[in-house]
Amino acid sequence: MSDKDDWSRPIGAQTALSSRYVVIRNLGSGASGRVVEVEDREEGCRRAVKIFHSRHVAGREFRALSKLSNAGADCGQYVRLHDKFIFRDYVCLVTDLLGESLFDFLEQNSFKPFPGSHVQNIAQQLFQNIAYIHSLNLTHADLKLENILLVNPAFRVQFFQHRVLSTDGVPYHVRGRRRELCDTQIRLVDFGMATFGDEYHHPEVTTPAFRAPEVVLHLGWSFPCDIWSIGCILFELCTGKPAFNPRSSIEHLVAMEHVLGRPIDSHLIEKAKQSSNLPDNLSRYIRGYMPIPPTAMSRVTKTEMLGHLIPNETMFDQLFLDLLQQIFVFDPNRRITAHEALRHPWVTGEGAYTCAKEQERTADSERNHILGVPTKQLSQGINTKPMSIQRKPPLIPHLHNRLPEGDINRILEIISLVLVSNYRRTSICYKNRKSFILRHRDRLRSHFNKQRDLPTLPQHLRRQIDNTLHTAHSAKRKIQTLQTLEGSAIMTTLLRSLVSNKVNLMPNHSIVIQEYIQSTPTLVDSVVESS
C-alpha cells in the first residue's frame, strides 16, 4: 500500500497489521479509508480497524472519538475507540466490531419500510446520542444511514401490511414479507467530518441527500444540520425511500420547496445572495438569472409532498408528521433541537407508542389467523426497550369503521373505472379520476359507517383487485377482469347498497352502476343464494 494502486487493492487475509492485529477479512471501503475485521491477539477477540489514507481525516476522527471516550463511556451509542497505530505510513484506528449499516439492512430488505416501533426506538437513540455530542460542542456533520451500524443484525421474516399510493395518488394497502430486526440497538460511526465549535467549518459537509438547506446555500452550519439529517434518516426508514435525492444543488432546493410545500425563507435567500462562496449556477439561480433546469423540474414534480408521503391515518402517523415538520424547518435557528425532540410526544411514546404497538398486534393477529399459529408464539423476541407510559385505547380510525379505509378506496376506484368506460355519458376521464376519488371518499365512508352487516373483502380478493386496478390496461379491460374474479360478488353487493340507498355521487352515476351490476348476473345470483 505504498501508492494509489496499492490502496485500491483489498488487504489479504492473514496480513499482519502489527504484532497484535491480524486481518481476517475486508469489510468495506469509502472516501476516507478502508475497514477490515481483525483478530486482537492480546485480548482474544475481534475488532474493526479503519485504515485512513488521509492523516487530516484520521486526526479529526481520532480527536472526536477521544473526546467522547474521555467524557464518559456510557453517555452515548457511538463506536468506541480502543487503539491507534501506524501501518505502512497510514493511520489506523481500532474500534468495536459491529454489524451491518441501516442502509445495508434496508437494501437487503428490498427497501421495505421498518416497523413503526423500530423507527421510534432508533429515533430515541439518535436524538439521545446527538444531544450528548452537541453538549460537547461537537457536530457530527455526516449523519446518514451508512454511518449508523447495528449492534446485532439478527432478524426474522414477518408478514407486514404497508400503505402505498397508487398511480392516481389514492392510498391502498399491500401485504408482503419483510425482515424485522430482533434488536434495534445502533451505534454511530464515521466521525471524519466531526467538527468542534472552535474549528474551521468546511462549507460542504454531509452527503447531498441528507444535507441541510443552510449547507446547500453556504450560509454556515452548526448543530441544526445534524437534526435535518436525522429527519431524512427517519423518513427513509419509515417509507423506504429518500426524502430528497438531488443531482444538483438547484434541484435540491427545488425539491425541498416541493416536498415541504412552502418556499425557502426570504431572509435566507437574501443572505445567500451576499455570499461569495456559491457555485456559479446556484448563484445565478437564487438571483433570478437562471431558470430551473427542465430535467430537474421533471424529476421534482414526480415526487409527492410530505403530507402525502407520510400516512395520516393514526395518532402515531400524525405525531410523526408533526415531528418531521418541526425538523424540516428552513431556518436553522427555528429548527427543533435534539433535547427538544427527546420531549416530543412521538419520541417519548405518549399516545404514539401505544398506537404503533396496537397496529403491530392487529397485523400479527391477522397474519396468525392466516397461518394458523398462536399470536404469542410469533410475537415473542422483539428486543426493543419498553417505555413506561400510560396505556390508552387504540386510536386507529379504521378499527372503528364499518368498512376498512382500504376497501372504501377500492370501491371508489372501481366506480371511477365504470364511469371512465362510459365517458360519453359521465364526462369522467383518467385525468380527473384522482379529484373524483378524493372528493367523494368522505361521503362513501359516511354511508358505509351507517350500514350494518356489511360483507368484508377477503385478503386474497383485495390483492387481486389491487393488482387489477394498477395494471396498464384500459378501463373496460380492467372491468372485465374484475367481473371474473372469484369472490367479486362481495364487491358487487357493496355497490348495490349505494344504488339502493340512492347515494348519487354525480349525474347518471346510479344508472351506470346499475348497468354494471346487471352485466354480472351470475355474481349477483351468487350473492342472493349465499344470503
Side-chain angles (χ1 to χ4, degrees):
M1 295 177 62
S2 59
D3 53 31
K4 293 183 179 180
D5 293 333
D6 291 334
W7 180 261
S8 64
R9 302 193 192 103
I11 302 176
Q14 303 304 318
T15 300
L17 300 181
S18 69
S19 59
R20 178 176 177 178
Y21 303 106
V22 178
V23 175
I24 297 177
R25 63 189 177 106
N26 285 267
L27 296 178
S29 60
S32 60
R34 173 180 289 116
V35 182
V36 295
E37 180 182 346
V38 301
E39 180 183 358
D40 186 344
R41 292 177 174 177
E42 290 187 9
E43 298 290 338
C45 61
R46 294 188 177 187
R47 304 285 191 192
V49 173
K50 188 170 184 179
I51 307 172
F52 294 85
H53 60 71
S54 169
R55 286 181 175 266
H56 176 70
V57 177
R60 278 183 175 274
E61 183 145 354
F62 178 74
R63 287 195 301 272
L65 292 179
S66 298
K67 179 69 173 179
L68 291 170
S69 299
N70 296 334
D74 300 321
C75 294
Q77 291 80 24
Y78 50 83
V79 66
R80 299 294 193 272
L81 178 65
H82 296 281
D83 195 6
K84 175 186 178 183
F85 64 93
I86 303 297
F87 171 68
R88 299 181 186 175
D89 293 332
Y90 294 102
V91 178
C92 301
L93 299 183
V94 183
T95 61
D96 299 324
L97 180 63
L98 301 169
E100 61 192 4
S101 69
L102 287 180
F103 178 81
D104 291 334
F105 187 87
L106 192 64
E107 184 180 37
Q108 294 170 12
N109 209 16
S110 301
F111 295 96
K112 296 183 178 73
F114 279 53
S117 60
H118 289 195
V119 179
Q120 196 175 37
N121 191 267
I122 291 172
Q124 276 191 322
Q125 297 176 70
L126 281 176
F127 284 122
Q128 288 172 355
N129 199 25
I130 291 301
Y132 173 64
I133 291 175
H134 289 177
S135 69
L136 301 177
N137 198 27
L138 181 66
T139 305
H140 188 283
D142 195 20
L143 290 176
K144 56 183 177 179
L145 292 173
E146 292 88 338
N147 290 341
I148 304 173
L149 302 187
L150 295 166
V151 176
N152 179 12
F155 64 87
R156 63 189 182 282
V157 179
Q158 299 278 50
F159 283 97
F160 81 107
Q161 194 171 19
H162 179 49
R163 177 186 182 274
V164 297
L165 295 176
S166 69
T167 55
D168 295 318
V170 179
Y172 67 101
H173 289 82
V174 296
R175 284 179 58 86
R177 293 173 180 264
R178 69 177 172 191
R179 298 178 179 183
E180 294 185 4
L181 290 169
C182 299
D183 187 348
T184 58
Q185 290 188 65
I186 58 172
R187 294 291 184 268
L188 277 182
V189 299
D190 198 348
F191 287 78
M193 288 187 181
T195 306
F196 288 96
D198 57 352
E199 292 181 328
Y200 170 71
H201 286 49
H202 194 279
E204 292 188 2
V205 293
T206 317
T207 302
F210 302 86
R211 189 171 290 169
E214 63 267 23
V215 180
V216 180
L217 293 171
H218 292 251
L219 300 177
W221 51 268
S222 185
F223 304 144
C225 75
D226 282 344
I227 304 301
W228 183 282
S229 300
I230 291 178
C232 297
I233 291 169
L234 299 181
F235 179 93
E236 191 160 354
L237 292 178
C238 184
T239 64
K241 60 182 71 173
F244 314 102
N245 192 19
R247 300 185 183 180
S248 67
S249 297
I250 297 177
E251 182 179 337
H252 199 174
L253 295 177
V254 176
M256 288 178 181
E257 293 181 330
H258 175 75
V259 172
L260 302 181
R262 60 182 183 274
I264 298 177
D265 298 0
S266 58
H267 71 276
L268 297 179
I269 297 297
E270 292 301 323
K271 186 177 179 181
K273 290 179 181 180
Q274 301 173 7
S275 174
S276 60
N277 299 324
L278 287 178
D280 290 340
N281 286 346
L282 183 58
S283 177
R284 293 172 57 198
Y285 168 71
I286 66 172
R287 286 177 170 81
Y289 300 145
M290 178 179 174
I292 302 173
T295 54
M297 194 63 188
S298 175
R299 286 191 295 268
V300 169
T301 53
K302 292 179 181 179
T303 61
E304 294 286 342
M305 296 178 63
L306 183 65
H308 295 163
L309 291 170
I310 300 296
N312 195 21
E313 298 177 347
T314 67
M315 182 63 71
F316 181 88
D317 300 326
Q318 294 170 12
L319 291 177
F320 180 54
L321 183 60
D322 178 73
L323 174 63
L324 290 182
Q325 289 172 342
Q326 295 186 49
I327 290 176
F328 291 138
V329 175
F330 291 122
D331 189 347
N333 296 323
R334 297 192 297 110
R335 196 173 302 153
I336 191 173
T337 66
H339 285 289
E340 291 171 347
L342 286 170
R343 297 192 295 268
H344 190 276
W346 185 84
V347 179
T348 61
E350 297 177 3
Y353 181 78
T354 305
C355 294
K357 282 298 181 184
E358 194 67 35
Q359 281 181 307
E360 292 175 11
R361 283 196 294 269
T362 304
D364 285 343
S365 300
E366 183 180 356
R367 177 196 66 224
N368 299 340
H369 176 71
I370 296 173
L371 298 179
V373 180
T375 302
K376 184 177 180 181
Q377 181 178 343
L378 279 177
S379 61
Q380 291 175 344
I382 298 180
N383 190 15
T384 53
K385 186 178 179 181
M387 305 177 194
S388 56
I389 63 172
Q390 181 181 0
R391 295 291 176 181
K392 299 180 181 180
L395 301 175
I396 305 176
H398 75 261
L399 294 180
H400 304 290
N401 290 344
R402 298 286 183 180
L403 199 66
E405 188 75 16
D407 290 350
I408 294 176
N409 292 332
R410 293 180 181 93
I411 293 173
L412 280 167
E413 285 269 17
I414 293 177
I415 292 175
S416 65
L417 277 178
V418 176
L419 300 180
V420 165
S421 63
N422 289 268
Y423 170 72
R424 293 183 178 179
R425 298 168 59 187
T426 63
S427 299
I428 293 292
C429 60
Y430 277 108
K431 292 183 179 180
N432 53 18
R433 283 178 62 204
K434 180 178 179 180
S435 60
F436 170 82
I437 292 172
L438 295 176
R439 185 167 64 251
H440 297 298
R441 184 184 299 154
D442 292 340
R443 186 171 183 183
L444 257 68
R445 184 189 299 112
S446 175
H447 163 72
F448 285 119
N449 287 348
K450 298 176 182 178
Q451 304 301 309
R452 295 184 178 181
D453 301 327
L454 285 175
T456 57
L457 299 179
Q459 195 62 34
H460 74 276
L461 180 58
R462 290 172 178 167
R463 289 195 296 268
Q464 292 175 353
I465 292 175
D466 290 341
N467 292 336
T468 303
L469 290 175
H470 301 100
T471 56
H473 298 150
S474 64
K476 291 185 179 180
R477 174 79 175 275
K478 291 180 181 180
I479 290 174
Q480 292 173 357
T481 305
L482 290 171
Q483 289 176 333
T484 59
L485 293 179
E486 181 181 357
S488 60
I490 300 175
M491 184 62 75
T492 308
T493 302
L494 296 174
L495 294 175
R496 290 176 64 191
S497 71
L498 294 176
V499 177
S500 59
N501 288 276
K502 298 181 180 181
V503 180
N504 294 318
L505 303 183
M506 59 175 297
N508 295 332
H509 159 259
S510 298
I511 299 175
V512 174
I513 297 299
Q514 184 67 38
E515 292 176 355
Y516 166 78
I517 295 174
Q518 292 175 352
S519 65
T520 56
T522 55
L523 298 180
V524 176
D525 292 343
S526 65
V527 175
V528 175
E529 291 174 3
S530 62
S531 60

